[in-house]
Amino acid sequence: MISFEEAITTISTLSQHFETEYINLEDADNRILAEDIYADRDYPPFNRAAMDGYAIMLSDWESGLRKYAITEIIYAGQVSKQALTSGNCYKIMTGAATPKTANVIIRKEDTHEIDNEVTIAVETAKHLQNIATQGQDLKYQALILASPCKCTPQTISLLASVGKATLKVYKLPTVAVITTGDEVIAPSKPTASHQIRNSNQYLLKALLKKWNITPSLCEHVQDNKNLLTKAFKEAIKNQLTIINGGVSAGDADYVPAVLKSLGVEMVFHKVKIRPGKPLWIGKTPLGGIVFALPGNPLSCLTTFTIFVEDYLYKCFGYASRPVYRFPIQESRIKKHPLTEFFPVQISKSQQGLNLISFNGSGDITAGLNASGLALQPDLTEELKKEDIISFYPFNNSL
């Protein structure tokens, strides 16, 4: 049995960057960029009118001129055809390119126009007023996004603005999800008193979906060596295999032995944590990775969040999975020498973490209102109110 820190270090050594591919911008949501993005030109690419109004020369204003003849109307997407001379102005629309000779825009609401002449009714004007200058947002070749970077709708909008119609991203891995157990049945079926519904299969698929990953193989297998062997033989053809249940020390916990019979090399079995102690990790003959997670609901959620996500972050190019630091809002005592993870909720009013009451790792409600997991180190028997502790957000986001 290894420590939590040793387990994370070992996962780092197993992690290798996924291959890359090019995709269309339309398909980029939630994908991870595998290239740095630079500005293809200045932004704005010209002096841009920030509102509808009249563009004048500041020198005219400073000389006391308040009435101007309209030389030309400039709309967004058009280029001025006439030079601006003293005593004249452009009538200009929001977003239009402002000629360099015009260095002030007076908003429409502060003027009065009649017979192609406009009178300005403001007391002050300053250089570049109401003009977004060329390059003020981004300069040509400025680094905009550094890889790796998760594509969000806001990111996609920016990528479109800089002309990235196709993107280099990390490929999504092939993944198999196998849940096990004679006592586990599908949610659609009636239950006997000794049976439970297969919540973990749906949990794991939903957690993977946060990464845009859809398992290529997803099935439930009873605690039968022959059936497990058949299912695992297909599952380990994938880059990542996630097995749930059957990894403890019970008489029907066949998973480690069956994986060994298929040539899967055990990397480690059992970690000094609670919940999730029975975690099993191995390497397949084809170079894939197997995570065998314990079957209790909170144990499954915890081991995926802490270990599987750490692996995915690193394979998608990140140095590590994000871990945040927050003060805990009440004291907490543990009576064992293991590193413990427990569900917490972010308190927006107190800017800290609130404990969530639950009845052990088998409690199906344990993660319901939680924002993520907090960590209590193995040698820390008591956490005191306002202690700063590590926080791991659920669902690949904060």
Side-chain angles (χ1 to χ4, degrees):
M1 187 161 58
I2 64 175
S3 70
F4 165 64
E5 293 78 13
E6 289 172 318
I8 291 296
T9 300
T10 301
I11 289 172
S12 294
T13 65
L14 297 174
S15 306
Q16 296 182 348
H17 288 180
F18 294 135
E19 294 181 356
T20 59
E21 63 181 345
Y22 286 89
I23 63 170
N24 292 328
L25 184 60
E26 289 83 355
D27 302 318
D29 190 36
N30 271 338
R31 297 297 297 270
I32 308 298
L33 279 175
E35 62 174 326
D36 294 339
I37 305 297
Y38 297 88
D40 62 323
R41 57 178 179 168
D42 288 343
Y43 286 91
F46 47 78
N47 282 4
R48 184 184 66 223
M51 58 183 60
D52 296 337
Y54 299 86
I56 63 172
M57 294 186 289
L58 183 60
S59 57
D60 276 352
W61 169 268
E62 291 176 338
S63 68
L65 194 62
R66 298 295 182 267
K67 287 187 178 181
Y68 299 83
I70 299 173
T71 293
E72 184 181 5
I73 300 176
I74 307 176
Y75 296 94
Q78 294 183 351
V79 178
S80 173
K81 298 176 182 178
Q82 299 184 46
L84 187 64
T85 57
S86 181
N88 294 283
C89 70
Y90 297 116
K91 186 175 184 179
I92 197 163
M93 307 302 161
T94 302
T98 307
K100 294 290 179 69
T101 49
N103 49 16
V104 175
I105 293 178
I106 305 299
R107 64 177 187 166
K108 186 177 181 180
E109 296 91 324
D110 295 327
T111 64
H112 178 66
E113 178 187 336
I114 187 169
D115 294 335
N116 209 44
E117 186 177 73
V118 62
T119 301
I120 294 174
V122 294
E123 296 182 0
T124 60
K126 61 182 180 179
H127 183 61
L128 299 177
Q129 178 176 310
N130 297 322
I131 298 173
T133 58
Q134 180 174 336
Q136 80 172 38
D137 299 333
L138 290 168
K139 295 292 187 182
Y140 172 63
Q141 285 297 298
L143 176 65
I144 304 173
L145 297 169
S147 172
C149 175
K150 183 178 180 180
C151 291
T152 64
Q154 301 94 311
T155 307
I156 291 168
S157 173
L158 178 59
L159 290 166
S161 295
V162 299
K164 293 295 294 185
T166 59
L167 304 170
K168 184 181 180 181
V169 298
Y170 286 102
K171 281 186 176 181
L172 299 174
T174 58
V175 179
V177 173
I178 305 289
T179 55
T180 68
D182 290 343
E183 77 284 13
V184 180
I185 64 170
S188 59
K189 294 183 178 180
T191 59
S193 60
H194 62 283
Q195 294 176 317
I196 59 173
R197 294 188 177 92
N198 193 352
S199 62
N200 285 343
Q201 183 182 91
Y202 291 84
L203 169 67
L204 292 168
K205 288 196 295 183
L207 289 167
L208 288 166
K209 192 172 183 179
K210 294 297 182 181
W211 293 87
N212 252 16
I213 297 171
T214 300
S216 59
L217 173 65
C218 185
E219 61 180 270
H220 180 76
V221 184
Q222 292 183 315
D223 293 323
N224 176 287
K225 286 184 179 180
N226 291 332
L227 294 177
L228 290 170
T229 300
K230 181 180 178 182
F232 291 175
K233 188 175 181 179
E234 288 301 310
I236 63 175
K237 294 177 182 179
N238 290 272
Q239 292 170 267
L240 173 60
T241 300
I242 302 174
I243 300 168
N244 183 240
V247 290
S248 293
D251 291 345
D253 290 327
Y254 301 131
V255 168
V258 172
L259 289 170
K260 182 179 179 181
S261 73
L262 293 171
V264 180
E265 176 191 351
M266 185 186 80
V267 176
F268 65 78
H269 186 195
K270 297 184 179 179
V271 186
K272 296 176 184 177
I273 63 170
R274 180 180 292 181
K277 180 180 174 182
L279 176 69
W280 190 100
I281 292 182
K283 294 190 294 185
T284 72
L286 297 177
I289 302 297
V290 177
F291 284 83
L293 315 180
N296 277 335
L298 184 59
S299 299
C300 179
L301 176 59
T302 297
T303 48
F304 185 97
T305 300
I306 302 302
F307 298 105
V308 179
E309 283 201 346
D310 188 76
Y311 175 77
L312 288 173
Y313 269 107
K314 289 167 182 171
C315 289
F316 278 117
Y318 292 90
S320 62
R321 64 111 60 238
V323 180
Y324 302 88
R325 303 280 289 173
F326 288 108
I328 191 168
Q329 296 302 307
E330 51 192 298
S331 62
R332 185 179 193 275
I333 296 175
K334 68 179 180 70
K335 298 180 181 180
H336 56 78
L338 305 176
T339 296
E340 185 165 1
F341 295 92
F342 53 95
V344 290
Q345 186 178 61
I346 294 177
S347 169
K348 294 181 180 178
S349 60
Q350 297 173 308
Q351 297 182 335
L353 303 173
N354 290 333
L355 298 179
I356 289 180
S357 177
F358 66 103
N359 297 311
S361 61
D363 186 346
I364 63 172
T365 69
L368 185 60
N369 296 309
S371 309
L373 296 167
L375 180 153
Q376 186 165 351
D378 51 357
L379 300 179
T380 303
E381 180 180 342
E382 181 180 6
L383 293 174
K384 296 179 180 179
K385 184 179 180 180
E386 300 300 332
D387 279 354
I388 306 298
I389 60 174
S390 295
F391 170 73
Y392 298 75
F394 282 148
N395 307 331
N396 183 23
S397 63
L398 177 58

